[in-house]
Amino acid sequence: MSRDHVLHKVRTALGRSAGQALEPVPEAGIEIPEVFIEARIDQFCEAFEALNGKTYRAASLAEARATVESILAGRTAIASNAPLLTEIGITTLPKVQSGLADRLDLREACSTAGAGITSADYVLADTGTLVMFSSTEEARMISLLPPAHIAVVRRERFLTGLDELLTREPIPSNRSSSMVLITGPSRTADIEQILVRGVHGPGEIHAVVL
Amino acid sequence: MNPLPAEKINKTLSNSGLQLAIYESTGRLMEKRRKALASPLAADFETWREQANRIKRHTIENLDHYLEQLEQNLTRNGGKLVWARDATEAADFILNLAKENNAFRIVKSKSMTTEEIDLNERLENHQLEVVETDLGEYIIQLARERPYHIVAPALHKTRYEVADLFTEKLGVEREVVIEKQTMIARARLREKFLSADIGITGANFLIADSGAVVIVENEGNARLSSSAPRIQIAVAGMEKLIPRAQDLATFLKVLGRSATGQPLTVYTSFLSGPRRAGEIDGPEQFYLVLVDNGRTRVLADRDKRQSLYCIRCGACLNHCPVYRKIGGHNYPWVYSGPIGAIISPQFHGVTEDPWLPYASSLCGACGEVCPVKIEIPKILLALREDVTKAKKREGGGGLERLAFRAWAFLMRHPKLFEIAGMAAPALISDGGGRWIRSLPRPLHVGPIARWLSQRDLPPPAERSFRQLWRARRRRS
Amino acid sequence: MTRRVSLFVSCIVDQVFPKVGIAMADVLERLGYEVDFPEAQTCCGQPAFNSGYWDEARQVARHFLDVFDGADCVVVPSGSCTSMITHHFAEIFAEDAAMAQRAHAMEGRVWEFSRFLTDVARAGDVGARFEHTVTYHDSCHALRELKVKSGPRSLLNHVRGLTLKEMDACEECCGFGGTFSVKFDEVSGGMARAKLDSIYRTGAEYVVSLDSSCLMQIQGALSRADSPVRTIHLAEVLASR
C-alpha cells in the first residue's frame, strides 16, 4: 500500500518510529495589536482603496441600501442569502435577484449578472481584506463570477488583521469547507509584469461599511 | 551524466531581447519586494523569517506525525487523501477517477508539482482535455513550453510574442495591448471553468490540524477551478505541510511579500473537503494527491533536508545574477534558479547534471532573501563536494583533481610557492604593467583562454608581496 | 591590548596585487600597530573548498592554522578569505574534533581589514588624502557573511578630497566566484559588464572594494572595455597621502 510505503520511507529518512512522540511545537507567534474600531475602519478603507477598491460609509440601513443602489447604477445583480442584505432591503432593489438555492441556477445567474452582492464574515483592517466562509447564507460564486463585487459589512466585524482572525477561528475547517480571504480586485502581471485587473474574478470591488 | 549546456546558455545570453525581458521582469519583482519590506507593516519581517524557519524545521523533522494528522482531519471533513509514491501513481489515480466519473474536461490552476510530475502530458495521452487557467500557464501551454519562472511562468514572453501566439493558436486577430490580451484569455477560460468536470489545483500549504489545503493566487482561477467543477483534486508535495492554521500568520506574511511584494495576494483559499450540507456550491468530491516522487530521498540527508522548507516564492530566482542571465529554460528541470540548483541534484543524483551546483558565483543573495532561511549557498558547496566525491568513485574528473592536488601541495610548501610565483612574470609579463589582452598560442588555452574571452588578465607582479616586504624591512 | 598584528595578505595579493598588502601595512603602522608577516603563509584554501575538493582544502587550512598558531590578531585585506577562515574552517573540520577546536579558536582572532579599523582600532580618519570621485563595490562575502556595509563607507567619507558616489547595483555580484569566472565565462562576463554599466552611471574615476578578486574581475572588464576607470583596494585609498 502506497500509504504504508511512503510513511515508512519518511520514518526511515528521519530516524523516527511509528507513534514516536512529537517534539515540542514552536510558538505560532500570534500578535494582536490594540486598535480602536474607528481606527480599524480607517485603516481598512485606506488599504482597500490603495488596492483600487472603493469604500463607503453608511450610517443607517436606508443609507446602505441607497449606496448599493447607486453603486449598481442600473446593473443586474445577484445578492447572497445573508440576513443582513434582506434586513437592509437590498434584496428588494430593482434587478437584484436573491434566494437562489440551486447550485447550477446560481451559477447561471452569476455568470450573466453585472454584480454580486454579499456580506462578509470578517474584515481585516491592516490588509484591506474581506473574509468569507461558504455557507447557506453565502455561496462561493457570488463574489467570484460577476465582474463586480459589493460587500456590505457591519462595523463589528472589523478585526485588526490575520492574527486576530486566526485567534477567532483557529480551525477554520470546523466552520465550513471554504474560507476565502479577498484582498482587492482580481489581477495579474503575468505579461511583462504589467498590471491588469479583472482577470477571472471581479475587477471591481466595493465595500459598504455599516 | 549531462554536460553543461554551453551552447544553449550562450544562445540565451546573446538574445538581447530575451536578456532585457528577464532582467526587467525580475528587476520589477525585486523592487516590489523591496517596497513591501520597507513598509512599517513589515517591520517584523526578520522575526517572521526566523519563525517560518523554525516551524518548517519542526514540521519536516516530525513529518510522519503531521502526515497522519492531515489525513485524519481531511477524512473527517469528507475529503480523501491519496498517497502517490511517484508521478505514475498520481496520474493513474486521476485517470481512474476521471474514467469512473465519465469526466473529460479538466481545468487546472497553477501547480509546479503537477509540472514536476508531467501531469498534463500523462492525462492528455489518455485523451483528457486539460486547460491551464493561470494566464502565464495558459500562455506557455499554448506555446508548448515549460514554465520560465516559479511564480511568473511566462516571464520571458513579450506582448508581441503573446500576440503572435494568440493569433496562431486561438485564431484571434493580432492584439498587442496587454489588457486586451488578458481579456481574450478571460473569455476563453470562463467557458472552460463552467463546463469542466474536474478542477485540479496545487496547494501552497497543507494544514495538519485542520485537514485543509491553502491556495494563494491573484487571478481567481484557483477559486474557480476549486469551486465550479463537481470534483476537486489538489496535488501537492508532502513537504507543503505546516502544523496549524495559526501558522499561516507567519507564512502568509512572508510568502506574498517575498514573491510579488504583496502583504497578501488577492485570494487566499482555505479549503477543507467537499461542500457540506447546507452549502450552496462547491465540489461534491475532494481529493488531495500527496506526492513523494523523491522527497523522501531529500529528507534522508540531515544537512540538506532544509531544501524542503521551500514555499515556492521565487525570490531566490529574482535575486540570482546567474538566473537573471541564463533564464529558466537552461536549468535541467522544471524548478529553476537557486532552489532548482539545490533540489534537482538531490532528486536526480549529483551525477545527472554535475555542472549545476557550479553554476553559481556563491554571492549569497538567494540565502539572504529566502523567507524560510534555507542556507542555499551552503547546500551548493556541499553538493560540489558530493560531485567531486562521486567523480572520484566513478573514476572520472582526474585532471582537475590532479590540478588541485598539485595546488594543495604548493600551498603547503611556502618556498615552492614563492619559486612558482617568480616564474609567472617571466612567462606572461607584458613588462609595461599593462593588463593583458591576449597570450601567445601555447598559453592561450583552457581556463586562461576562457578568462581572456571576457576580460583582460592582470600582469603578475614583478616582485611579490614577500619580496617587497623584505625590502621594506631592510629599509627600516 | 596588544598593539601587534600579523598580516595574512592572501595568495592573490602576494602574487598579483602586492601593493595592497604594503598599503595595509602602511595604514596599520600609521595607526601605531606593530606589524609582522609570517613568511610561511600561502593561502586560506578557499579555491579548493569552493570547487568541492575538501580534502585539499583541509590540507591548506591546516597549514594556515599552523602558520598563525601563535598570532593574537590577524588582519586580512579580503572579505572572502576572512569568511573562509571564520565561517568555513569549522565546516570542513566538522568531523575532526581537534582541528575543529583549533578552527574555532582562530575565528575570533582574524579580522577583515576594514572591520579591524572600525571595530578594533576604532579609527575614523586615518590621515588619508585621495582627491578623486570613487564608487564602492560591496563584495559578496564581506557583505553577506561578514555583514560589512557601513564601515568602509564611513572610512572613505573621512578621506580628504574624496567624493563617494553610490552605484545602484553596489550589492550585485561582480561575477568572479572563483572558478565560476572560467567555468561559466560568458555568464561571468555578462555579470561584470552589468556591473560596469552601474559604475559608469556614477561618473566615478575609481571603484573601491575590499576584495582583490572582485577588483581583478572588474578591472579586467574595464580594461577590456578600454575604460579609463580604475579599480583600487580600500587599503590603497587609505594609505594615500
Side-chain angles (χ1 to χ4, degrees):
Chain A
M1 251 204 73
S2 297
R3 179 187 191 276
D4 295 332
H5 185 100
V6 173
L7 277 172
H8 177 78
K9 276 177 108 177
V10 171
R11 291 193 174 113
T12 309
L14 294 170
R16 279 175 56 86
S17 44
Q20 184 173 333
L22 187 65
E23 285 160 29
V25 194
E27 293 279 312
I30 300 273
E31 260 179 50
I32 304 175
E34 295 244 359
V35 184
F36 284 123
I37 192 93
E38 274 311 318
R40 289 184 212 178
I41 297 173
D42 287 339
Q43 199 185 17
F44 168 77
C45 290
E46 200 184 314
F48 199 74
E49 283 167 13
L51 294 164
N52 228 55
K54 299 216 173 13
T55 61
Y56 315 80
R57 311 228 191 175
S60 66
L61 301 180
E63 207 183 313
R65 186 180 191 275
T67 306
V68 174
E69 187 168 15
S70 87
I71 295 171
L72 283 175
R75 289 178 283 188
T76 56
I78 306 293
S80 74
N81 303 331
L84 178 64
L85 300 181
T86 314
E87 209 185 317
I88 294 175
I90 281 166
T91 46
T92 57
L93 281 170
K95 294 195 185 173
V96 173
Q97 240 189 313
S98 72
L100 291 161
D102 174 70
R103 193 190 81 152
L104 292 171
D105 286 344
L106 180 72
R107 175 197 292 195
E108 179 61 42
C110 285
S111 46
T112 50
I117 311 170
T118 69
S119 179
D121 294 281
Y122 297 104
V123 174
L124 306 183
D126 60 0
T127 47
T129 302
L130 303 166
V131 182
M132 300 188 63
F133 286 87
S134 164
S135 64
T136 40
E137 293 170 9
E138 295 285 2
R140 300 184 190 194
M141 288 297 155
I142 299 179
S143 61
L144 183 53
L145 275 177
H149 175 204
I150 305 169
V152 185
V153 204
R154 280 196 203 278
R155 48 200 285 124
E156 295 76 44
R157 299 295 178 106
F158 280 66
L159 305 180
T160 50
L162 188 61
D163 288 41
E164 197 176 348
L165 173 68
L166 293 169
T167 307
R168 295 263 186 131
E169 306 280 355
I171 313 271
S173 53
N174 282 345
R175 194 162 151 174
S176 167
S177 71
S178 161
M179 173 180 77
V180 68
L181 273 52
I182 299 172
T183 310
S186 152
R187 52 175 273 172
T188 184
D190 272 348
I191 303 173
E192 293 191 23
Q193 283 300 309
I194 301 292
L195 183 62
V196 177
R197 293 200 178 88
V199 194
H200 297 294
E204 196 190 308
I205 58 170
H206 306 263
V208 180
V209 183
L210 192 54
Chain B
M1 195 175 290
N2 300 318
L4 163 67
E7 217 178 289
K8 197 161 166 249
I9 288 175
N10 290 344
K11 213 166 153 214
T12 304
L13 293 175
S14 40
N15 181 339
S16 53
L18 181 55
Q19 286 291 297
L20 194 64
I22 300 169
Y23 197 76
E24 300 256 288
S25 289
T26 49
R28 287 204 186 100
L29 286 166
M30 286 202 290
E31 182 54 25
K32 286 179 186 175
R33 174 186 175 277
R34 197 200 58 76
K35 272 209 175 95
L37 262 49
S39 154
L41 272 184
D44 292 331
F45 191 74
E46 284 304 312
T47 310
W48 297 336
R49 282 181 81 209
E50 266 300 321
Q51 234 156 261
N53 175 274
R54 233 179 285 134
I55 297 169
K56 272 290 174 182
R57 178 179 310 273
H58 168 81
T59 312
I60 295 292
E61 298 289 330
N62 295 272
L63 192 62
D64 57 316
H65 169 91
Y66 288 110
L67 287 168
E68 290 193 300
Q69 193 187 18
L70 174 72
E71 182 182 46
Q72 211 170 42
N73 289 320
L74 178 64
T75 311
R76 191 196 56 172
N77 296 334
K80 186 167 191 319
L81 197 139
V82 177
W83 300 77
R85 278 182 275 197
D86 54 30
T88 307
E89 279 196 1
D92 282 348
F93 167 74
I94 296 174
L95 286 167
N96 283 331
L97 189 70
K99 198 159 159 200
E100 281 168 19
N101 287 274
N102 282 319
F104 159 71
R105 173 166 290 168
I106 300 177
V107 284
K108 263 192 87 245
S109 72
K110 195 170 163 345
S111 160
M112 286 304 295
T113 309
T114 60
E115 295 278 350
E116 176 195 324
I117 62 175
D118 290 316
L119 185 64
N120 291 10
E121 198 182 310
R122 290 167 191 263
L123 299 180
E124 282 165 349
N125 284 344
H126 288 84
Q127 285 74 53
L128 295 177
E129 184 194 88
V130 183
V131 184
E132 291 286 349
T133 61
D134 169 273
L135 180 62
E137 287 280 344
Y138 183 60
I139 290 168
I140 62 165
Q141 186 180 38
L142 291 175
R144 305 187 84 73
E145 288 179 28
R146 269 181 13 200
Y148 211 78
H149 184 283
I150 284 173
V151 165
L155 182 124
H156 59 313
K157 294 256 180 251
T158 64
R159 68 193 76 181
Y160 306 105
E161 288 167 314
V162 175
D164 292 337
L165 195 60
F166 278 10
T167 303
E168 191 201 339
K169 302 282 177 162
L170 304 177
V172 298
E173 253 181 66
R174 188 171 161 79
E175 177 56 72
V176 298
V177 175
I178 290 175
E179 186 158 347
K180 298 212 175 105
Q181 291 172 339
T182 308
M183 293 304 123
I184 291 171
R186 181 184 196 276
R188 291 277 167 142
L189 293 170
R190 185 142 288 226
E191 187 244 308
K192 303 285 181 185
F193 284 124
L194 300 179
S195 60
D197 306 303
I198 296 179
I200 298 181
T201 68
N204 295 88
F205 302 103
L206 303 173
I207 316 290
D209 73 354
S210 310
V213 149
V214 174
I215 304 170
V216 141
E217 58 157 337
N218 282 315
E219 297 180 16
N221 62 309
R223 280 182 73 194
L224 277 167
S225 300
S226 59
S227 302
R230 290 177 294 125
I231 300 171
Q232 186 198 349
I233 307 174
V235 180
M238 61 172 65
E239 82 284 12
K240 295 291 176 72
L241 266 164
I242 57 178
R244 308 159 290 209
Q246 292 208 321
D247 293 317
L248 291 171
T250 300
F251 288 98
L252 289 179
K253 288 189 187 128
V254 298
L255 176 56
R257 288 180 166 93
S258 302
T260 51
Q262 297 173 280
L264 279 181
T265 56
V266 179
Y267 304 115
T268 305
S269 299
F270 191 102
L271 305 171
S272 50
R275 76 166 184 271
R276 305 196 188 163
E279 289 176 17
I280 298 166
D281 54 11
E284 288 159 21
Q285 297 177 45
F286 184 106
Y287 303 91
L288 169 59
V289 178
L290 200 62
V291 176
D292 177 358
N293 202 38
R295 284 152 176 78
T296 42
R297 184 177 172 172
V298 180
L299 199 60
D301 185 319
R302 165 160 297 148
D303 298 319
K304 301 202 198 80
R305 68 171 66 124
Q306 57 175 301
S307 311
L308 294 174
Y309 298 178
C310 179
I311 59 175
R312 306 283 190 258
C313 72
C316 59
L317 276 67
N318 301 333
H319 290 78
C320 176
V322 175
Y323 175 87
R324 297 184 81 199
K325 289 235 137 281
I326 72 176
H329 284 173
N330 282 306
Y331 291 81
W333 206 21
V334 298
Y335 300 107
S336 51
I339 186 66
I342 62 172
I343 64 176
S344 308
Q346 292 184 71
F347 273 75
H348 302 141
V350 286
T351 53
E352 180 79 4
D353 301 285
W355 58 271
L356 188 55
Y358 291 89
S360 162
S361 64
L362 296 173
C363 77
C366 52
E368 200 175 43
V369 300
C370 177
V372 289
K373 299 185 94 160
I374 301 171
E375 296 168 293
I376 301 174
K378 186 172 176 184
I379 298 173
L380 283 168
L381 284 163
L383 286 168
R384 290 178 184 192
E385 200 208 358
D386 291 342
V387 170
T388 60
K389 278 188 176 150
K391 279 189 171 160
K392 190 174 179 184
R393 271 195 312 270
E394 293 173 18
L399 199 60
E400 194 182 63
R401 169 164 301 276
L402 204 62
F404 272 101
R405 276 242 184 91
W407 170 89
F409 182 82
L410 203 62
M411 293 304 161
R412 290 194 322 270
H413 296 88
K415 295 261 171 4
L416 289 176
F417 171 69
E418 201 176 333
I419 292 169
M422 292 193 289
L427 282 174
I428 60 175
S429 186
D430 167 88
R434 278 189 302 275
W435 284 56
I436 296 159
R437 189 144 292 192
S438 74
L439 286 171
R441 187 59 55 99
L443 288 167
H444 200 116
V445 290
I448 292 182
R450 282 199 289 278
W451 177 276
L452 287 169
S453 78
Q454 304 296 314
R455 65 242 108 168
D456 290 349
L457 255 179
E462 284 302 324
R463 287 195 292 167
S464 67
F465 173 83
R466 53 194 74 221
Q467 287 172 311
L468 289 175
W469 179 258
R470 286 177 203 134
R472 190 172 184 270
R473 281 280 91 132
R474 280 195 295 274
R475 277 200 304 276
S476 67
Chain C
M1 181 69 211
T2 178
R3 300 293 287 184
R4 173 175 212 88
V5 299
S6 304
L7 303 181
F8 173 64
V9 300
S10 81
C11 52
I12 187 178
V13 163
D14 188 24
Q15 294 301 318
V16 189
F17 303 110
K19 293 205 210 125
V20 172
I22 298 293
M24 184 168 77
D26 285 346
V27 174
L28 290 167
E29 282 177 356
R30 197 190 300 160
L31 292 173
Y33 288 92
E34 234 180 276
V35 177
D36 70 48
F37 172 75
E39 296 236 349
Q41 66 181 260
T42 51
C43 176
C44 63
Q46 188 183 106
F49 173 63
N50 280 0
S51 296
Y53 292 95
W54 291 18
D55 284 337
E56 285 75 10
R58 275 185 279 267
Q59 289 168 20
V60 178
R62 179 185 285 260
H63 178 80
F64 175 93
L65 288 170
D66 289 341
V67 171
F68 287 92
D69 195 36
D72 281 324
C73 191
V74 184
V75 185
V76 187
S78 160
S80 63
C81 299
T82 305
S83 79
M84 175 68 199
I85 299 158
T86 60
H87 285 57
H88 299 294
F89 271 17
E91 220 176 295
I92 58 176
F93 289 123
E95 317 217 330
D96 181 337
M99 284 309 294
Q101 195 173 39
R102 289 182 67 190
H104 281 304
M106 182 58 65
E107 276 162 27
R109 287 149 44 197
V110 176
W111 296 87
E112 180 276 317
F113 176 60
S114 75
R115 191 36 86 59
F116 179 83
L117 291 181
T118 54
D119 292 14
V120 180
R122 300 208 174 277
D125 179 352
V126 302
R129 175 183 295 279
F130 192 74
E131 286 165 1
H132 296 281
T133 312
V134 315
T135 188
Y136 180 79
H137 160 70
D138 287 284
S139 41
C140 296
H141 286 89
L143 176 68
R144 298 193 176 97
E145 292 200 6
L146 303 178
K147 313 277 187 240
V148 170
K149 176 80 181 173
S150 59
R153 286 168 167 86
S154 137
L155 289 164
L156 286 170
N157 280 323
H158 277 107
V159 176
R160 290 165 190 70
L162 183 146
T163 308
L164 173 61
K165 284 239 165 74
E166 292 282 0
M167 56 169 133
D168 43 49
C170 57
E171 293 190 357
E172 273 178 39
C173 181
C174 65
F176 180 68
T179 53
F180 173 83
S181 60
V182 293
K183 283 187 171 163
F184 293 86
D185 50 305
E186 299 265 351
V187 183
S188 172
M191 286 163 71
R193 287 184 286 276
K195 195 85 206 187
L196 257 50
D197 286 338
S198 191
I199 291 168
Y200 296 152
R201 281 196 288 274
T202 64
E205 304 160 71
Y206 283 88
V207 185
V208 184
S209 185
L210 303 175
D211 271 77
S212 300
S213 43
C214 301
L215 294 174
M216 181 169 73
Q217 164 88 344
I218 296 171
Q219 183 65 68
L222 285 166
S223 227
R224 180 59 57 94
D226 291 315
S227 166
V229 179
R230 304 238 310 273
T231 57
I232 185 169
H233 192 282
L234 178 72
E236 293 174 285
V237 175
L238 297 180
S240 304
R241 291 285 209 169

